[in-house]
Amino acid sequence: MNLAVSLLAAVERNPESEAIVDGEMRLSYAELHARATHGARGLADLGVGRGDRVAAILTNSQQT
């Protein structure tokens, strides 16, 4: 099972359960899925496709 399959299973089981807690900010599994889908669409719009490699350098926080 990969991360995407695990997230989809959690969305189906408990869409309103908390998936991420970062201080005061909380995201449900449904909200996390919506954000992930939005990010994936953005990458696709840039021409990134299945099998392409993408590197991400991120902080361990939702803050930018």
Side-chain angles (χ1 to χ4, degrees):
M1 179 180 292
N2 65 33
L3 183 58
V5 172
S6 181
L7 175 58
L8 288 173
V11 170
E12 289 176 10
R13 279 192 316 268
N14 302 305
E16 298 309 315
S17 292
E18 288 182 342
I20 295 179
V21 175
D22 183 14
E24 298 291 319
M25 190 278 305
R26 282 154 168 57
L27 282 180
S28 69
Y29 282 105
E31 292 167 324
L32 177 58
H33 180 260
R35 287 188 182 197
T37 300
H38 182 77
R41 285 188 185 134
L43 289 171
D45 289 347
L46 293 172
V48 177
R50 183 177 297 265
D52 290 344
R53 294 181 179 166
V54 175
I57 301 171
L58 307 169
T59 61
N60 193 18
S61 170
Q62 65 91 24
Q63 251 180 338
T64 56

